[in-house]
């Protein structure tokens, strides 16, 4: 089920209430950020810098994890595959 259409919400006065809430929230956030000396540009720049740093750190960690798994795979294959080949050759002789 879908809710009321945008036209219905606008005509019921809910859009006006939402606009007032958004204006009030914007005033409060603007006052707090102004008090802290943070502008819009600094805020979004900080957010994007942090996201970039997190993605970079994850990339480094994922690379380390992949290298570790590849190392385990090569070591395990060096043991498992010869044993499997010997077992297969011996089972074919029977």
């Amino acid at each position: 089920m879908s809710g009321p259409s945008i036209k219905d919400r606008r005509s019921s006065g809910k859009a006006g209430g939402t606009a007032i809430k958004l204006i009030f929230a914007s005033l409060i956030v603007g006052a707090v950020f102004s008090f802290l000396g943070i502008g819009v540009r600094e805020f979004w720049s900080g957010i994007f810098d942090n996201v970039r740093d997190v993605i970079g750190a994850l990339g480094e960690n994922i690379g380390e994890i992949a290298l570790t798994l590849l190392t385990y795979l090569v070591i395990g294959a060096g043991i498992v595959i010869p044993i499997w080949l010997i077992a297969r050759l011996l089972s074919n002789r029977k």
Side-chain angles (χ1 to χ4, degrees):
M1 266 196 213
S2 64
S5 70
I6 294 174
K7 185 177 179 181
D8 292 340
R9 280 189 261 159
R10 196 175 342 142
S11 64
S12 68
K14 290 184 180 181
T18 301
I20 290 172
K21 289 177 187 177
L22 288 172
I23 290 169
F24 186 69
S26 296
L27 283 172
I28 292 173
V29 170
V32 169
F33 275 44
S34 180
F35 177 76
L36 295 173
I38 301 171
V40 174
R41 181 175 294 164
E42 293 86 7
F43 173 77
W44 287 113
S45 175
I47 293 292
F48 288 122
D49 288 345
N50 285 336
V51 168
R52 187 188 65 225
D53 292 344
V54 166
I55 290 172
L58 285 175
E60 291 173 7
N61 290 337
I62 289 172
E64 291 174 12
I65 291 169
L67 184 60
T68 301
L69 290 175
L70 183 62
T71 303
Y72 291 169
L73 177 67
V74 170
I75 292 170
I79 295 169
V80 170
I81 291 176
I83 292 173
W84 175 79
L85 283 172
I86 292 169
R88 178 118 178 151
L89 290 172
L90 292 176
S91 69
N92 284 341
R93 289 187 168 201
K94 291 183 180 181

